[in-house]
Amino acid sequence: MLAELEIIPIGTKNASLSGLLAEVAKLIDTSGLDYRVGPMGTVVEGEWDPIMRLAKQCHEAILKSTGRVMTTIRIDDRTDKPGAGRMVQKVQSLERAAGRALKR
């Protein structure tokens, strides 16, 4: 399963969120799950329980730093294509259809 996690601290005085989100990045990095960081969220690949456990950890980590957090989770779960590597496969499939490499 792929899950895109978007963790947004709310009510901070600083317009830059990277300092707060660095803790989230560390949690994701040490989770053992494959992931790709994007400018608006992070895609994580794995099984349901580890991903949900990680999402909860990330959410709670931000709540320690700010009084409010909005967490959005988008899930792409397929039973017809099991196995790891779907993050890479999805991008490669799009590039084949486009006929060229795309910016990453």
Side-chain angles (χ1 to χ4, degrees), residues 15-67:
S16 175
L17 301 176
S18 59
L20 287 171
L21 294 175
E23 180 63 26
V24 168
K26 289 176 189 174
L27 288 169
I28 293 170
D29 190 52
T30 60
S31 72
L33 297 170
D34 194 11
Y35 69 94
R36 299 293 183 276
V37 173
M40 304 287 285
T42 299
V43 177
V44 181
E45 184 170 2
E47 297 297 321
W48 179 271
D49 288 337
I51 288 176
M52 291 303 122
R53 195 167 32 254
L54 176 61
K56 182 179 180 181
Q57 290 172 341
C58 294
H59 182 90
E60 290 175 344
I62 294 297
L63 272 179
K64 290 178 184 174
S65 301
T66 185

Side-chain angles (χ1 to χ4, degrees), residues 25 85 93:
S93 177

